[in-house]
Amino acid sequence: MAVSAQPSSAEEQGDNPVPPPPPSLGRLREPKPDLVVFARRIHTLDNSQPEVEALALCDGILQGVGSRHEVLALCGPKTRFIDLGRRVIYPGFIDPHVHAAF
């Protein structure tokens, strides 16, 4: 799937069907992350960095992604950690269907 650098008319109106890629560590915003998640592989859907080992969040908002060592270097004393071991994280798989019996 090709992604255009130019926003479509739907994107300009706020109906962006393709979320922006997660920020790289170079663009990590302050404050320090309050939660870091480690996994064997985290798929980002960003062609420039398709897989990472860690993601950093602050107040539930993605702050950055990168290697385990890159993200650890950004953590503060109040950062909590979740290590998913050999599990893999895929973004955006939501399946809100039900099987109703009548």
Side-chain angles (χ1 to χ4, degrees):
M1 178 172 110
V3 178
S4 170
Q6 297 296 323
S8 69
S9 60
E11 289 173 328
E12 291 168 354
Q13 297 171 1
D15 295 331
N16 186 356
V18 179
S24 68
L25 289 171
R27 295 182 290 172
L28 184 70
R29 300 182 298 261
E30 289 291 330
K32 299 282 187 186
D34 57 16
L35 177 65
V36 170
V37 179
F38 301 111
R40 176 181 182 199
R41 197 175 313 139
I42 300 171
H43 294 275
T44 65
L45 301 181
D46 179 1
N47 290 337
S48 67
Q49 193 175 23
E51 292 181 357
V52 295
E53 300 172 316
L55 58 88
L57 299 125
C58 184
D59 294 325
I61 298 172
L62 183 64
Q63 294 290 304
V65 299
S67 73
R68 179 178 288 263
H69 297 291
E70 290 170 328
V71 173
L72 276 174
L74 302 170
C75 296
K78 296 183 179 181
T79 304
R80 294 181 306 123
F81 301 95
I82 297 174
D83 191 342
L84 298 176
R86 298 186 55 79
R87 293 185 177 114
V88 177
I89 297 175
Y90 293 94
F93 286 120
I94 301 171
D95 187 8
H97 79 279
V98 297
H99 295 268
F102 293 99

